[in-house]
Structure formats: structure tokens, C-alpha cells
């Protein structure tokens, strides 16, 4: 590990002050050495320009098995809280030709045509959730994260993947655990084992009862091609990636957008008079509060020197997407202000380069269908707690609130 002038900044695994911590990271430089759970060190990159260059650099890999010496040497145990983030065999952790092969198998499910074809499904789920909310007794508080922001994307991705209702609660618990960076090693490993047990059950079910869903499609690639395109481990790893990444980020996008509007009535008024458009609102939310704050991990394939920053071969890199979204070098003096009319709304909330999120169009569709419908159905909706009392999910990766209590109307 390259020597640092100062001791590594220890990342707060609770995620209680993600934006404040990002400011402290940025103050130490464009690339700042930080300490993750288990004493693992990585370079946190919050500078947007530098991060973009690293994310398209062929000398940067996501394959720990090839390019992270500590992992290759067995120094990263299976009970490390972030183990699945670096070890699950899927396109998220693949490099080069393996990444292209795995991404090619998943990409057909997320084409523009397939995404647009899901609009009716998203509208139906949204209407059902709004109808359920409308049955709330007058004056009673509801948790919109729990009763709207969470169930919408998880129902969409479950239908896409062919997940039966019986497996839903267990999968939700396990996905929450994957993003929970406060788990002990024992809790983390137990969660990891349970997730794989449930996914194994899903694969067995869809082998026996195939349907018009992505799980069945991936199984056909595995079985019909005799494993030449997709190994059994890659099959399960890909399901893990799509199901978990396929809803957690959208949950946070909806949560943060609702919070932004309920705490900024002037922005909501401009949405209603048409001077601000919903796509602008969604993009500014993604910039201002990236659903994924820090994404582990990437690794230097060889020594890298870019713009005066040096990262040695084998060192780990932590992509600071939330930091890049508010980088004053990119967004100027108003970087910390929420402004849907800003000229430059660029962000990396869905990643950048070869690993840009395939599901980004679906996440945007879900937001652009559900958010206008929510605010049209409940125009008098108000927060019932100060924003500083909403809490945060226990994670430095996932950037969302613990709860979102609102009163839907008088």
C-alpha cells in the first residue's frame, strides 16, 4: 500500500452523514486514502473528472480474483462485510472479455424497447400502491419509503425476474443485508449464505417451471449451451446482481425525490405550473443525492498516474458517486444546492463507462411514472417530521432515509 501523508479516513459504516463525510474526504485531495470495514484500505475518488478517467481506463478492473493481491492471497475472508461486492461471479465483478460476455446475456432484458414495454406494468403497480395508500384513515401518518418507494421497484424487478411471491420477503431481507455495512462478520456471512439458498430455490423452481421471465432465460443460456456461456455460479451471481441492484437504487431515488419536493414547496409549485419538468427533477435528484454514495471496489491492474494522482498496482479504488455529483469543480458554487433548472445536471449515479448500469432506463421510467402520479393523487401531502429526523439506512453504500413519514392530506 502506498504511504499516505495522513492516516486513512475511517469510513462511517452507519452512513449517518454521507454528504458531510464526503466533504471531509474531498478536503484531503482528489484521491483520498480511506479505511473500510475490516481495516481494508482504498482510494476514495470524489473528483468527477478524475473518476470519469479512472472508470474508462483499461488499467482499472473490478475483478478481485485477478487484480486484488489481498483477495488472491486469501486475506479477504468470506465473512468480510463487503465480500459479495467483490466476490460474486457476475458482470459487476468481471473484467474485459468476461464482462462483455456476461453483460451481453443480460442486456436484452433492458433494451429501450423492452423497458418501454414495461410502462403499463409500472403504471399498474403504481396505481395499486396509490389505491392502498388512499385507504389510509384521514390524518394518519404513513411511511412512504416502506409503503411506496420500496414496494414499487421490488415488484417490478420481481415480475421481470420471475420471483414468486413466496420468496419475496426473504430476498428483501437479504438484499437489505447486502447493503447494510454495519453487519458483523458473522451476520454478513449468514446473510450471504441465506441469499444463495434463496436464489438456488429460485433457479430450481424456474428450471422445473420455466416462464417468460429473465431467470428462465438465463437458465436456458446455462443449460442449452452446456455451460459454455454461463456457469452455474455465474447464473446465481447474475440473479443476485440484477435483483439487488434492480431495486435498491430506485428505492432511494424515489425516497430522495419525494423528500426534496416535500421540503422545497417552491420546486413542487414549479413542477405543477410546468416551469420545471419531471425529467429535470429526476436528474437533479440523482445528482444531488446519488442513490449509491460509494461503490466498492475497483483495482489498479498496473501503476496508474493521472492528473498528478498515483495509484499503485493492486490498490483498491472506491468510486465516490455522491461526491462526484456535488463536485464544485464540476458544478460550481451551487453544487450543494438542489436546482432542477441548473444547466449542467451531469452525474454518475448509474456509474460510468463499461459498467454503466443496464437498468438505468428502467429506474428512470419507474420514477417518471410513479412520482407525478403520487403528487397528483395526494396534492396536500406533507412531511410529519423534520428532515434531520428521518434517519438513514445503515450503509455507506446505499443513500436513503430510514423512514419517510407523511400525512397524505387533511
Amino acid at each position: 500500500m502506498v504511504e499516505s501523508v495522513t492516516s486513512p479516513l475511517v469510513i462511517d459504516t452507519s452512513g449517518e452523514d454521507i454528504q458531510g463525510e464526503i466533504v471531509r474526504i474531498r478536503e484531503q485531495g482528489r484521491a483520498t486514502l480511506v479505511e473500510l470495514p475490516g481495516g481494508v484500505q482504498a482510494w476514495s475518488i470524489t473528483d468527477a473528472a478524475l473518476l470519469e478517467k479512472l472508470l474508462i481506463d483499461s488499467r482499472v478492473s473490478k475483478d478481485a480474483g485477478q487484480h486484488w493481491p489481498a483477495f488472491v492471497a486469501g486475506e479477504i475472508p468470506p465473512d468480510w462485510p463487503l465480500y459479495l461486492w467483490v466476490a460474486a461471479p457476475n458482470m459487476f465483478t468481471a473484467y474485459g472479455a468476461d464482462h462483455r460476455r456476461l453483460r451481453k446475456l443480460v442486456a436484452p432484458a433492458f433494451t429501450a424497447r423492452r423497458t418501454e414495454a414495461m410502462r403499463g406494468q409500472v403504471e399498474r403497480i403504481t396505481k395499486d400502491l396509490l389505491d392502498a395508500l388512499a385507504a389510509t384513515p384521514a390524518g394518519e401518518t404513513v411511511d412512504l419509503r416502506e409503503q411506496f418507494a420500496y414496494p414499487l421497484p421490488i415488484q417490478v424487478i420481481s415480475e421481470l425476474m420471475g420471483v414468486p411471491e413466496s420468496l419475496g420477503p426473504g430476498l428483501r431481507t437479504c438484499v437489505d443485508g447486502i447493503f447494510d455495512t454495519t453487519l458483523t462478520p458473522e451476520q454478513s456471512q449468514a446473510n450471504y449464505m441465506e441469499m444463495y439458498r434463496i436464489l438456488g430455490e429460485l433457479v430450481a423452481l424456474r428450471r422445473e417451471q420455466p416462464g417468460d421471465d429473465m431467470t428462465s432465460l438465463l437458465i436456458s443460456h446455462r443449460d442449452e449451451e452446456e455451460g459454455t456461456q454461463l456457469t452455474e455460479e455465474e447464473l446465481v451471481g447474475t440473479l443476485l446482481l440484477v435483483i439487488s441492484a434492480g431495486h435498491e437504487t430506485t428505492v432511494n431515488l424515489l425516497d430522495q425525490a419525494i423528500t426534496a419536493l416535500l421540503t422545497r414547496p417552491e420546486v413542487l409549485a414549479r413542477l405543477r405550473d410546468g416551469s420545471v419538468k419531471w425529467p429535470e427533477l429526476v436528474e437533479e435528484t440523482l445528482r444531488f443525492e446519488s442513490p449509491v454514495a460509494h461503490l466498492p471496489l475497483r483495482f489498479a491492474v498496473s501503476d496508474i498516474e493521472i492528473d498528478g494522482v498515483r495509484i499503485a498496482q493492486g490498490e483498491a479504488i472506491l468510486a465516490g458517486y455522491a461526491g462526484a455529483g456535488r463536485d464544485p469543480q464540476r458544478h460550481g458554487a451551487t453544487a450543494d444546492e438542489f436546482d432542477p433548472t441548473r444547466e449542467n445536471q451531469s452525474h454518475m449515479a448509474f456509474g460510468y463507462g463499461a459498467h454503466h448500469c443496464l437498468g438505468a432506463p428502467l429506474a428512470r421510467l419507474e420514477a417518471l411514472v410513479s412520482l407525478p402520479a403520487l403528487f397528483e393523487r395526494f396534492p396536500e401531502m406533507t412531511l410529519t417530521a423534520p428532515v434531520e429526523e428521518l434517519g438513514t439506512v445503515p450503509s455507506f453504500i446505499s443513500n436513503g432515509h430510514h423512514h419517510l413519514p407523511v400525512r397524505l392530506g387533511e
Side-chain angles (χ1 to χ4, degrees):
M1 194 69 69
V2 169
E3 291 294 326
S4 177
V5 176
T6 59
S7 298
L9 189 154
V10 179
I11 292 286
D12 179 6
T13 57
S14 74
E16 290 183 358
D17 183 22
I18 283 175
Q19 294 295 349
E21 187 168 65
I22 286 170
V23 170
R24 294 188 288 276
I25 292 172
R26 185 181 290 120
E27 286 173 348
Q28 294 193 25
R30 304 175 71 203
T32 298
L33 202 60
V34 298
E35 183 176 309
L36 305 177
V40 171
Q41 294 186 6
W43 291 101
S44 171
I45 314 297
T46 56
D47 180 283
L50 176 59
L51 185 55
E52 285 177 348
K53 290 179 180 179
L54 287 170
L55 295 183
I56 62 173
D57 196 313
S58 62
R59 296 171 297 174
V60 175
S61 167
K62 296 195 77 174
D63 190 335
Q66 285 193 70
H67 301 123
W68 194 16
F71 188 87
V72 174
E75 298 169 9
I76 306 298
D79 64 358
W80 185 50
L82 304 181
Y83 190 77
L84 281 180
W85 291 91
V86 301
N90 53 45
M91 65 182 180
F92 180 83
T93 57
Y95 174 72
D98 273 341
H99 173 254
R100 290 189 292 273
R101 171 177 60 86
L102 292 169
R103 190 176 175 97
K104 186 177 180 181
L105 293 174
V106 178
F110 294 99
T111 62
R113 182 182 61 82
R114 288 292 297 270
T115 298
E116 183 57 33
M118 296 180 71
R119 180 179 295 273
Q121 175 186 351
V122 175
E123 290 172 344
R124 168 178 54 80
I125 294 171
T126 297
K127 182 180 182 302
D128 289 347
L129 291 171
L130 294 179
D131 287 346
L133 287 170
T136 304
E140 188 172 303
T141 295
V142 298
D143 182 352
L144 274 193
R145 182 176 173 92
E146 179 66 25
Q147 295 178 246
F148 187 75
Y150 209 110
L152 171 64
I154 203 169
Q155 285 185 44
V156 171
I157 203 67
S158 293
E159 292 187 15
L160 175 68
M161 301 299 295
V163 177
E165 193 173 331
S166 60
L167 295 183
L171 276 177
R172 172 181 175 167
T173 298
C174 288
V175 171
D176 285 349
I178 290 170
F179 282 88
D180 186 345
T181 51
T182 67
L183 294 185
T184 65
E186 294 77 18
Q187 291 171 326
S188 179
Q189 188 166 29
N191 186 69
Y192 158 73
M193 298 299 290
E194 178 64 6
M195 184 69 173
Y196 270 82
R197 185 196 68 77
I198 293 173
L199 292 175
E201 191 174 332
L202 172 61
V203 170
L205 173 68
R206 288 296 163 234
R207 273 207 171 101
E208 183 179 335
Q209 303 172 28
D212 183 21
D213 57 76
M214 188 174 168
T215 299
S216 299
L217 177 64
L218 290 171
I219 290 171
S220 73
H221 281 301
R222 161 66 182 151
D223 294 348
E224 294 174 13
E225 300 294 333
E226 298 181 345
T228 58
Q229 282 196 304
L230 195 67
T231 68
E232 192 73 12
E233 292 77 14
E234 288 170 340
L235 167 62
V236 177
T238 297
L239 295 176
L240 167 66
L241 170 63
V242 177
I243 291 172
S244 56
H247 79 269
E248 180 74 16
T249 52
T250 311
V251 174
N252 290 340
L253 168 57
L254 299 180
D255 168 355
Q256 297 287 5
I258 294 167
T259 303
L261 289 176
L262 293 183
T263 54
R264 295 171 177 83
E266 72 284 358
V267 175
L268 183 54
R270 296 190 66 186
L271 275 168
R272 286 173 171 153
D273 70 21
S275 59
V276 168
K277 308 299 183 186
W278 281 102
E280 294 173 329
L281 183 282
V282 169
E283 296 309 308
E284 179 66 353
T285 302
L286 290 166
R287 182 201 71 84
F288 188 72
E289 291 288 3
S290 176
V292 172
H294 305 275
L295 189 67
L297 279 173
R298 286 172 165 82
F299 314 98
V301 175
S302 58
D303 291 351
I304 299 172
E305 289 197 27
I306 298 178
D307 297 344
V309 171
R310 181 178 183 273
I311 299 174
Q313 179 179 355
E315 292 187 329
I317 299 167
L318 184 68
Y321 293 139
R326 295 205 199 180
D327 181 2
Q329 297 300 315
R330 175 66 53 88
H331 295 288
T334 64
D336 286 324
E337 297 176 15
F338 186 87
D339 177 12
T341 65
R342 70 173 60 247
E343 184 176 344
N344 179 7
Q345 288 192 314
S346 66
H347 59 77
M348 282 180 270
F350 294 116
Y352 191 78
H355 284 272
H356 184 270
C357 178
L358 280 172
L362 179 57
R364 288 185 168 104
L365 173 67
E366 291 176 49
L368 291 172
V369 167
S370 65
L371 291 170
L374 173 68
F375 282 90
E376 182 178 347
R377 187 74 173 268
F378 304 110
E380 304 302 320
M381 184 167 53
T382 56
L383 269 179
T384 61
V387 70
E388 58 270 17
E389 294 180 11
L390 300 181
T392 59
V393 293
S395 179
F396 70 85
I397 300 171
S398 182
N399 182 21
H401 296 104
H402 175 66
H403 63 165
L404 190 55
V406 305
R407 189 171 293 114
L408 298 171
E410 296 304 323

Coordinates of all heavy atoms in Angstrom, one line a residue, residues 48-49 52 279-288 324-348 352:
A48 N -15.1 14.5 -9.9 CA -15.8 13.9 -11.1 C -14.9 13.7 -12.3 O -15.0 12.6 -12.9 CB -16.9 14.9 -11.4
A49 N -14.0 14.6 -12.6 CA -13.2 14.4 -13.8 C -12.2 13.3 -13.6 O -12.0 12.5 -14.5 CB -12.4 15.7 -14.1
E52 N -14.2 9.9 -13.8 CA -14.5 9.5 -15.2 C -13.3 8.9 -15.9 O -13.5 7.9 -16.6 CB -15.0 10.8 -15.9 CG -16.4 11.2 -15.6 CD -16.8 12.5 -16.3 OE1 -16.0 13.2 -16.9 OE2 -18.0 12.8 -16.2
P279 N -38.5 15.1 -15.8 CA -37.2 14.6 -16.0 C -36.1 15.4 -15.4 O -35.1 14.9 -15.0 CB -37.1 14.5 -17.6 CG -38.5 14.4 -18.0 CD -39.3 15.2 -17.0
E280 N -36.3 16.7 -15.4 CA -35.3 17.6 -14.8 C -35.2 17.3 -13.3 O -34.1 17.3 -12.7 CB -35.6 19.1 -15.0 CG -35.5 19.5 -16.5 CD -36.0 20.9 -16.7 OE1 -36.9 21.3 -15.9 OE2 -35.5 21.6 -17.6
L281 N -36.3 17.1 -12.7 CA -36.4 16.8 -11.2 C -35.7 15.5 -10.9 O -34.9 15.4 -10.0 CB -37.9 16.8 -10.8 CG -38.3 16.5 -9.3 CD1 -38.2 15.1 -8.9 CD2 -37.5 17.4 -8.4
V282 N -35.9 14.5 -11.8 CA -35.3 13.2 -11.5 C -33.8 13.3 -11.7 O -33.1 12.8 -10.8 CB -35.9 12.1 -12.5 CG1 -35.1 10.8 -12.5 CG2 -37.4 11.8 -12.2
E283 N -33.3 13.9 -12.7 CA -31.9 14.0 -12.9 C -31.2 14.8 -11.8 O -30.1 14.5 -11.4 CB -31.6 14.6 -14.3 CG -32.0 13.8 -15.5 CD -31.5 12.4 -15.4 OE1 -30.3 12.1 -15.2 OE2 -32.4 11.5 -15.5
E284 N -31.8 15.9 -11.3 CA -31.3 16.7 -10.3 C -31.2 15.9 -9.0 O -30.3 16.0 -8.2 CB -32.0 18.0 -10.1 CG -31.5 18.9 -8.9 CD -30.1 19.4 -9.1 OE1 -29.4 19.0 -10.1 OE2 -29.6 20.2 -8.3
T285 N -32.2 15.0 -8.7 CA -32.2 14.2 -7.6 C -31.1 13.2 -7.6 O -30.4 13.0 -6.7 CB -33.6 13.4 -7.4 OG1 -34.6 14.3 -7.4 CG2 -33.6 12.5 -6.2
L286 N -30.8 12.6 -8.8 CA -29.7 11.7 -9.0 C -28.4 12.3 -8.8 O -27.5 11.7 -8.2 CB -29.8 11.1 -10.4 CG -31.0 10.1 -10.7 CD1 -31.1 9.9 -12.2 CD2 -30.7 8.8 -9.9
R287 N -28.3 13.6 -9.2 CA -27.0 14.3 -9.0 C -26.9 14.7 -7.5 O -25.8 14.5 -6.9 CB -27.0 15.6 -9.8 CG -25.7 16.5 -9.7 CD -25.9 17.9 -10.1 NE -26.7 18.7 -9.1 CZ -26.3 19.2 -8.0 NH1 -25.0 19.1 -7.7 NH2 -27.1 19.9 -7.2
F288 N -27.9 15.2 -6.9 CA -27.8 15.8 -5.6 C -27.7 14.8 -4.5 O -26.9 14.9 -3.5 CB -29.1 16.7 -5.3 CG -29.1 17.5 -4.1 CD1 -28.3 18.6 -4.0 CD2 -29.9 17.2 -3.0 CE1 -28.3 19.4 -2.8 CE2 -29.9 17.9 -1.8 CZ -29.1 19.0 -1.7
A324 N -19.0 12.9 -6.5 CA -18.8 13.4 -7.9 C -20.0 14.3 -8.3 O -19.9 15.3 -9.0 CB -18.7 12.3 -8.9
G325 N -21.2 13.9 -7.8 CA -22.4 14.6 -8.1 C -22.4 16.0 -7.5 O -23.1 16.9 -8.1
R326 N -21.7 16.2 -6.4 CA -21.7 17.6 -5.8 C -20.3 18.2 -5.9 O -19.9 19.1 -5.1 CB -22.1 17.5 -4.4 CG -23.6 17.1 -4.2 CD -24.0 17.7 -2.9 NE -25.2 17.0 -2.4 CZ -25.9 17.3 -1.3 NH1 -25.4 18.2 -0.5 NH2 -26.9 16.7 -0.9
D327 N -19.5 17.7 -6.9 CA -18.1 18.2 -7.1 C -18.2 19.7 -7.5 O -18.7 20.0 -8.6 CB -17.4 17.4 -8.1 CG -16.0 17.9 -8.3 OD1 -15.5 18.8 -7.7 OD2 -15.3 17.3 -9.2
P328 N -17.6 20.6 -6.7 CA -17.7 22.0 -7.0 C -16.8 22.4 -8.3 O -17.1 23.4 -9.0 CB -17.1 22.8 -5.8 CG -16.4 21.7 -5.1 CD -17.0 20.4 -5.3
Q329 N -15.9 21.5 -8.6 CA -15.1 21.7 -9.8 C -16.0 21.4 -11.1 O -15.7 21.9 -12.2 CB -13.9 20.8 -9.9 CG -12.9 21.0 -8.8 CD -12.3 22.4 -8.8 OE1 -12.0 22.9 -9.9 NE2 -12.3 23.1 -7.6
R330 N -17.0 20.6 -10.9 CA -17.9 20.3 -12.0 C -19.2 21.2 -12.0 O -19.7 21.6 -13.0 CB -18.3 18.8 -11.9 CG -19.3 18.3 -12.9 CD -18.9 18.4 -14.4 NE -17.6 17.7 -14.6 CZ -17.5 16.4 -14.9 NH1 -18.6 15.6 -15.0 NH2 -16.3 15.9 -15.2
H331 N -19.7 21.5 -10.8 CA -21.0 22.1 -10.6 C -20.9 23.5 -10.0 O -22.0 24.1 -9.7 CB -22.0 21.2 -9.9 CG -22.3 19.9 -10.6 ND1 -23.1 19.9 -11.7 CD2 -21.9 18.7 -10.4 CE1 -23.2 18.7 -12.1 NE2 -22.5 17.9 -11.4
G332 N -19.7 24.0 -9.7 CA -19.5 25.3 -9.3 C -20.0 25.6 -7.8 O -20.2 24.7 -7.0
A333 N -20.2 26.9 -7.5 CA -20.5 27.3 -6.2 C -21.9 26.8 -5.7 O -22.2 26.8 -4.5 CB -20.5 28.8 -6.1
T334 N -22.7 26.4 -6.6 CA -24.1 25.9 -6.3 C -24.2 24.4 -6.2 O -25.3 23.8 -6.2 CB -25.1 26.5 -7.3 OG1 -24.9 25.9 -8.6 CG2 -25.1 28.0 -7.3
A335 N -23.0 23.7 -6.2 CA -23.0 22.3 -6.2 C -23.9 21.7 -5.1 O -24.5 20.6 -5.2 CB -21.6 21.7 -6.1
D336 N -23.9 22.3 -3.9 CA -24.7 21.8 -2.8 C -26.1 22.3 -2.7 O -26.8 22.1 -1.7 CB -24.0 22.1 -1.5 CG -22.7 21.3 -1.3 OD1 -22.8 20.1 -1.6 OD2 -21.7 21.8 -0.7
E337 N -26.6 23.0 -3.8 CA -27.9 23.4 -3.9 C -28.8 22.6 -4.8 O -28.3 22.1 -5.8 CB -28.0 24.9 -4.4 CG -27.3 25.9 -3.4 CD -27.2 27.3 -4.0 OE1 -28.0 27.5 -5.0 OE2 -26.4 28.1 -3.5
F338 N -30.0 22.3 -4.4 CA -30.9 21.5 -5.2 C -31.6 22.4 -6.2 O -32.4 23.2 -5.8 CB -31.9 20.8 -4.3 CG -32.8 19.8 -5.1 CD1 -32.4 18.5 -5.3 CD2 -34.1 20.2 -5.6 CE1 -33.2 17.6 -5.9 CE2 -34.9 19.3 -6.3 CZ -34.4 18.0 -6.4
D339 N -31.3 22.3 -7.5 CA -31.8 23.2 -8.5 C -32.1 22.4 -9.8 O -31.2 22.2 -10.6 CB -30.9 24.3 -8.8 CG -31.4 25.3 -9.9 OD1 -32.5 25.1 -10.3 OD2 -30.6 26.1 -10.4
P340 N -33.4 22.0 -10.0 CA -33.7 21.2 -11.2 C -33.5 22.0 -12.5 O -33.5 21.4 -13.6 CB -35.1 20.8 -11.0 CG -35.4 21.0 -9.6 CD -34.5 22.1 -9.1
T341 N -33.3 23.3 -12.4 CA -33.2 24.1 -13.7 C -31.7 24.4 -14.0 O -31.4 25.1 -15.0 CB -33.9 25.4 -13.6 OG1 -33.3 26.2 -12.5 CG2 -35.4 25.2 -13.2
R342 N -30.8 23.8 -13.2 CA -29.4 24.1 -13.5 C -29.0 23.6 -14.9 O -29.5 22.6 -15.4 CB -28.5 23.4 -12.4 CG -28.4 21.9 -12.4 CD -27.3 21.4 -11.4 NE -27.6 21.8 -10.1 CZ -26.8 22.6 -9.4 NH1 -25.8 23.2 -9.9 NH2 -27.2 23.0 -8.1
E343 N -28.1 24.3 -15.5 CA -27.7 24.0 -16.9 C -27.0 22.6 -17.0 O -27.2 21.8 -17.9 CB -26.8 25.1 -17.4 CG -26.5 24.9 -18.9 CD -25.7 26.0 -19.5 OE1 -25.6 27.1 -18.8 OE2 -25.1 25.9 -20.5
N344 N -26.1 22.3 -16.0 CA -25.3 21.1 -16.0 C -25.9 20.1 -15.0 O -25.6 20.4 -13.8 CB -23.9 21.4 -15.8 CG -23.0 20.1 -15.8 OD1 -23.5 19.1 -16.1 ND2 -21.7 20.3 -15.4
Q345 N -26.6 19.1 -15.4 CA -27.1 18.1 -14.4 C -26.4 16.8 -14.5 O -26.8 15.8 -14.0 CB -28.6 17.9 -14.8 CG -29.5 19.0 -14.4 CD -31.0 18.6 -14.5 OE1 -31.4 17.9 -15.4 NE2 -31.8 18.9 -13.5
S346 N -25.1 16.9 -15.0 CA -24.4 15.6 -15.1 C -24.1 15.0 -13.8 O -23.9 15.6 -12.8 CB -23.0 15.9 -15.8 OG -22.2 16.7 -15.0
H347 N -24.1 13.6 -13.8 CA -23.9 12.9 -12.6 C -23.4 11.5 -13.0 O -23.5 11.1 -14.2 CB -25.2 12.8 -11.7 CG -26.3 12.1 -12.4 ND1 -26.5 10.8 -12.6 CD2 -27.4 12.7 -13.1 CE1 -27.6 10.5 -13.3 NE2 -28.2 11.6 -13.6
M348 N -23.0 10.7 -12.0 CA -22.6 9.3 -12.3 C -23.4 8.4 -11.4 O -22.9 7.3 -10.9 CB -21.1 9.2 -12.0 CG -20.3 9.7 -13.2 SD -18.5 9.5 -13.0 CE -18.2 11.1 -12.2
Y352 N -20.5 4.8 -14.8 CA -19.9 5.4 -16.0 C -19.0 4.4 -16.7 O -18.4 3.6 -16.1 CB -19.1 6.6 -15.5 CG -18.6 7.6 -16.6 CD1 -19.4 8.5 -17.2 CD2 -17.3 7.5 -17.1 CE1 -19.0 9.4 -18.2 CE2 -16.8 8.4 -18.1 CZ -17.7 9.3 -18.6 OH -17.3 10.2 -19.6

